[in-house]
Each structure stands twice: as C-alpha cells, then as structure tokens.
Amino acid sequence: MLSLSRRACVLVPLALFALPSGDALAQQPVTAPCPPGRIVASGCPAGSLNLADAVAMAQRQGLSAEASRQMLVESRARNAAFRARLLPQLSLDAMPANYNRGFIPVVLPTGETQFASQSQNESTAGLTVSQALPWIGSTLTVGSYLDRLDLTGSVTSRTYRTTPFLVTLRQDLLKPRELLWDTRSQDLRAGLAERQYLESREDLAINTAAAFFDYYAATVALRNATSNVAVNDTLYTLNKGRYEVGKIGENDLLQSELQLLRARASLDGAKLERDRSESALRRLVNVHATDTLVVVPPENVSTIEVDPSVAVTEALRNSSVAEQAALDSVVARRSVTEARLTNGFGATIIASYGMNQTNSLFGLSYASPLPQQGFQLHVTMPLFQWGGGSADVQAAKAEEARAASTSRARREQAAEDARYAALQLTQSQRMLLIAAKADTVAQKRFEVAKNRYLIGKIGVSDLYIAQNEKDQALDAYVQALRGYWNNYYRLRRVTLYDFEQKARVQ
C-alpha cells in the first residue's frame, strides 16, 4: 500500500512569518479526514465526501446513472417482449357484421331469371393458436371457426358453417428465415445492452473521479492561495519596514508588492474555480445543499500489479466490442442471404387439414363433420432484372467485408487501449510516489528559504523562487493523484474487470 496520509486532507496553510489575521485563517477551516466508506462521520463536517462514496452516489442516484438504468430496462423489456412472441400465441378474430343489400339475380322454378332485392349479413368468429418455427421458417396454426349467414328478402334463411378444428402449416422454401435471423440478432442485442450498461457505469465513475479531483484540486489551490496571500502580505509589511531603514532596495520592495498582488489575483481565481468545480461535482452525484462540500481524498493507494496481457484478454472477453462485432457479423450475413434468396427462385406452401359442417340449425352444424383439406403452392422467380439482383448481392458482400474490417479494427483498438491502460496505471503509481516526495521536499525547501531570508542569508528573489516551486510541486502532486485514479477507473472501463478483487465488474 502506498501511504498518502500526509496528503489525506486539504493541506494546512503554511506557518507564517508573523501571526496572520484571524479572518485569513477563518476563511478555510482545517478539517480532519473522515474514515473511509462514510459520507458523514463523527468529528467530520456534515457533507464530507470521499472518492469511493462519490462514485457510488453518482452510480446510484445521479441523473446520468438513471438514464443508463432506464435504457437497460427498455432493452430488457424489448427482449422479454420478443421472447414472449416466440411462444404459442392465442388470438380471437371476429367480424360480428358484414352487411350487404342490393338486387341480385334469382332463378325462378320456370327457369326465368329475375332481379330481386335481398339483404345479407355474415358474421364470423375464430379462435386460433399459432406457433412460429424459426429453424425451418414455418408457421403452424390450429384454429376453430364459426360462420353464420343471414339472408332476407325474396329468400329468407339462416345457415351455420362450423370448423371445429383446422390445422394449417405455412412453409417458405428458398426464402430468408427472417424470424431465425431476428432471434440471433436479439440475443446479441440483449447481451450488448448489458455490457454497455456496465461500461456506462464505469464511464460515470471516470467522470465522477475527474469532477472529484477537480474540486479537490480547486480546494487545495484555494487553501494554498490563502496561505500565499497571508505570507506575501506579511513579507510586504516586513519589507516596507526594511526599505524605510535602508536595508533593502526599492526593486526588492516592488518585487514583494508585485508578488502580493499576484497572490491576491490567484486567490480570487481560486475561489471562482472552487465554486464552479463544487457545483459540477454536486450535479454528478445529485446532491444539492447550501453548506460547503468537503472532499476527502483517498488516504492510501493500493499497489496493483497489472499484467498487460491479462488486461487485453479481459477486455476482449468482457467489453461490448466482442458483442458488437458478433452483431455486425450477423446483420451483414443476413443481408447477403436476403439479397441472394430474394433475387432467385422461391416458393411458399400452405397446407391445411380439418373438419367442417354446415346446417341451418346451430347444434346440427357440429354433427358429423366432414373432412376439409387445402393446399396452395405459390412460386416466384424473377426472370430478368438488368443485373439488379447480382448488384444487390455484391453490395451485401461488400458490406459484410466492411463490417469484418471494422470489427477487427475495434478489437485491435480495444486490445491496445487495455494494454496501455495497464501500463499507464503502473506508471502513475510510480509518478505518484515521486510527486509526493517532491511535494514534501519543496515544502521543506521553502521553510528553509523563509528562515534564511529572515536572517538575511538570501535575497527576496530566491525566496519567491522557492515559493513558486512549492506551489508547482503541490499542483504536481494533486495532478499525480488525479492521474492515478483516472487511470485506475479507465482500466476498469476498458476491461470491465476489477484487478483488486480479481473478478469481472458487475
């Protein structure tokens, strides 16, 4: 474990040459770090937040997280609806009224034909169960039907026709099996949605970590700027006295005044940046309050040994790239199949068998039913298309080749991203150690320079150089800390794998 307890909270303002005013220190109270895993802890200010909790809150209650969850809910609902339609479907089809009235030819017993007014109403109802058979491209239907025909006018009658059962099979020959392709695509889309949801959560973790350290860096910068104003104000007061007694020249006094003005300008900018970054962090974690949010950076950084080859393997296994490549391949192969079959010979067979009967009495219409058979053969074959069919096939094959090339490029990019994410995390661990040490050295050097300046051993320029280097080292440390956690969450994002827990991200 890499201990960072010295930098666990926002740095305490440096000791000043003379005791600063109470207002200067009261602007930014020093707070102790809260225990890990707790947002509000005993002895910690209300609203204090650590990195892990910020990420968890953003993923639990953030607006972006809610949008991602709803997209996943939508995908799961669409998948459930598709699966339900693959099961046997029960439906009722009825036409209570089909009324027609007009003159129709009527043949008299004498053989003479006359036109007579007649009214006709046909009522039908049917209960059917249908089952799609994706693998053979068929649809099997079992139904029961009832028709009633009412005639009024010159001839009055009522007739029932019943079909207790009718089995119908529709079979396509040499045609695309659309439902089979739909099933394959839906399986991949469902898996793709699940992986994209996990990736969206990790994207949110990256964004939250960036906002967290933006605010942390702004808070550190504000505290450091407050300290610098107090230090430079004391220096300027001290140098004015020295100038009046002739111990320093006017150039040193002007340089001291310029450094004070710059420190005050930096303080104003730091206040604005602190407020902006706090607002951005609150928006991500969806927490809004009037009190100032206090962030607590991680006290310890785990030293994670990441094998780049393992990172590449997990990225290709877990990320959405593999599912997307498979989906693109299925879509492209479907296009080729459809282009080839729809531009060639095709046929549809519809065969049915059942029992039916007719009678003027409803009860007798079900008595002694007679067989009912049906058979249809529908053939289609384009004869001359001016090369359109072959052009469709050629275009579909070109699209298949393009999809294959794109998928390969994505896989290679995913592998490269995983490899360098692993290397960058390892490098950022080393850089963080160096930055923490450099920050400690720079602060100690500034303390030494300050004391030497007080006894007149160095000039004011050397003191300000030490102060600037101290500020730069502090900023470099904060950026190194940000870089480590950014690389940590980025590695999780590209691999969907937790190298600390040795498990896939859930």
Side-chain angles (χ1 to χ4, degrees):
M1 300 284 288
L2 172 61
S3 177
L4 300 176
S5 57
R6 187 176 179 276
R7 295 295 175 198
C9 281
V10 181
L11 297 175
V12 180
L14 297 175
L16 306 180
F17 301 130
L19 185 63
S21 64
D23 292 341
L25 289 178
Q27 292 176 359
Q28 299 295 329
V30 178
T31 60
C34 295
R38 299 179 63 182
I39 298 178
V40 179
S42 177
C44 292
S48 56
L49 188 68
N50 61 36
L51 177 59
D53 288 328
V55 171
M57 291 173 65
Q59 292 177 338
R60 182 178 65 253
Q61 65 191 39
L63 298 179
S64 298
E66 179 63 21
S68 297
R69 279 193 295 271
Q70 293 306 318
M71 289 182 63
L72 181 62
V73 170
E74 176 190 358
S75 174
R76 288 176 175 175
R78 292 186 182 279
N79 185 60
F82 181 85
R83 296 296 169 194
R85 292 188 177 94
L86 295 179
L87 300 175
Q89 303 295 304
L90 177 65
S91 61
L92 174 65
D93 186 14
M95 184 173 62
N98 182 15
Y99 179 77
N100 291 285
R101 180 179 180 182
F103 288 95
I104 64 170
V106 178
V107 180
L108 301 178
T110 61
E112 183 181 0
T113 300
Q114 292 184 355
F115 287 95
S117 176
Q118 182 172 327
S119 298
Q120 172 182 307
N121 183 64
E122 182 181 9
S123 302
T124 63
L127 186 66
T128 60
V129 178
S130 62
Q131 173 65 64
L133 307 174
W135 286 100
I136 59 176
S138 302
T139 302
L140 180 65
T141 304
V142 179
S144 181
Y145 308 93
L146 172 64
D147 294 351
R148 191 182 82 175
L149 182 63
D150 294 301
L151 298 178
T152 58
S154 59
V155 179
T156 302
S157 66
R158 172 175 290 177
T159 306
Y160 294 94
R161 184 182 67 174
T162 60
T163 306
F165 77 92
L166 181 66
V167 180
T168 304
L169 178 66
R170 178 189 177 96
Q171 175 68 60
D172 291 329
L173 301 176
L174 300 178
K175 288 187 176 182
R177 293 174 291 180
E178 294 185 358
L179 189 56
L180 176 60
W181 288 109
D182 289 341
T183 303
R184 293 173 177 173
S185 298
Q186 184 60 37
D187 289 340
L188 294 172
R189 287 192 177 95
L192 179 62
E194 296 289 339
R195 299 193 186 193
Q196 287 178 337
Y197 172 69
L198 295 177
E199 290 176 343
S200 69
R201 285 174 55 86
E202 296 306 315
D203 285 333
L204 183 57
I206 294 175
N207 295 335
T208 303
F212 181 92
F213 281 105
D214 282 344
Y215 179 51
Y216 172 61
T219 306
V220 171
L222 178 58
R223 291 179 182 272
N224 190 58
T226 302
S227 173
N228 285 341
V229 168
V231 169
N232 286 289
D233 182 67
T234 303
L235 279 176
Y236 180 60
T237 301
L238 177 64
N239 288 333
K240 281 195 299 184
R242 287 183 172 183
Y243 174 73
E244 290 174 357
V245 297
K247 288 187 177 181
I248 61 172
E250 184 179 7
N251 183 62
D252 288 344
L253 179 62
L254 293 175
Q255 185 176 0
S256 179
E257 183 179 7
L258 179 60
Q259 193 74 4
L260 176 60
L261 294 175
R262 288 175 176 172
R264 288 174 176 172
S266 297
L267 178 60
D268 291 339
K271 289 179 179 178
L272 180 61
E273 177 60 22
R274 195 276 307 272
D275 293 341
R276 184 205 65 78
S277 58
E278 181 182 8
S279 177
L281 179 59
R282 286 184 181 276
R283 185 180 68 253
L284 269 179
V285 300
N286 198 22
V287 171
H288 304 283
T290 57
D291 57 330
T292 301
L293 184 66
V294 179
V295 293
V296 182
E299 295 186 8
N300 297 296
V301 174
S302 300
T303 302
I304 304 175
E305 298 295 334
V306 182
D307 187 346
S309 61
V310 175
V312 171
T313 301
E314 294 298 336
L316 296 180
R317 177 187 302 165
N318 302 330
S319 70
S320 63
V321 171
E323 290 287 331
Q324 186 65 59
L327 177 59
D328 291 344
S329 176
V330 168
V331 172
R333 288 188 288 114
R334 175 177 184 170
S335 297
V336 173
T337 301
E338 289 180 344
R340 186 176 66 253
L341 294 180
T342 55
N343 288 283
F345 175 84
T348 299
I349 297 175
I350 302 177
S352 62
Y353 178 82
M355 305 296 288
N356 68 351
Q357 185 57 276
T358 181
N359 199 284
S360 59
L361 298 178
F362 176 74
L364 294 180
S365 65
Y366 280 96
S368 303
L370 300 176
Q372 175 185 351
Q373 300 92 17
F375 181 82
Q376 296 180 21
L377 175 62
H378 182 248
V379 177
T380 59
M381 182 176 181
L383 298 179
F384 194 74
Q385 297 179 302
W386 304 95
S390 59
D392 285 342
V393 174
Q394 183 179 3
K397 288 183 176 180
E399 174 63 19
E400 183 181 24
R402 185 202 64 79
S405 299
T406 301
S407 298
R408 181 179 177 183
R410 287 174 181 167
R411 287 179 59 87
E412 292 180 354
Q413 182 66 50
E416 182 177 337
D417 290 344
R419 180 181 299 107
Y420 283 101
L423 295 175
Q424 286 172 344
L425 180 62
T426 302
Q427 182 186 37
S428 63
Q429 292 175 158
R430 296 193 300 265
M431 297 300 295
L432 183 56
L433 284 171
I434 295 173
K437 179 64 175 177
D439 179 44
T440 303
V441 172
Q443 289 208 42
K444 184 176 181 180
R445 179 176 182 272
F446 174 67
E447 290 294 332
V448 173
K450 175 195 67 177
N451 295 330
R452 287 175 60 83
Y453 177 76
L454 289 176
I455 62 177
K457 293 295 185 180
I458 61 173
V460 68
S461 297
D462 293 332
L463 175 62
Y464 290 142
I465 290 174
Q467 187 181 54
N468 291 336
E469 289 179 349
K470 180 261 298 180
D471 294 344
Q472 292 172 3
L474 176 60
D475 181 67
Y477 168 77
V478 173
Q479 296 304 319
L481 190 60
R482 177 210 300 268
Y484 170 83
W485 287 106
N486 179 73
N487 291 328
Y488 172 83
Y489 285 111
R490 174 167 173 74
L491 180 62
R492 284 174 55 98
R493 163 62 176 83
V494 298
T495 61
L496 290 184
Y497 188 78
D498 188 339
F499 284 88
E500 283 190 292
Q501 303 297 326
K502 305 297 182 183
R504 181 180 173 180
V505 172
Q506 298 295 330

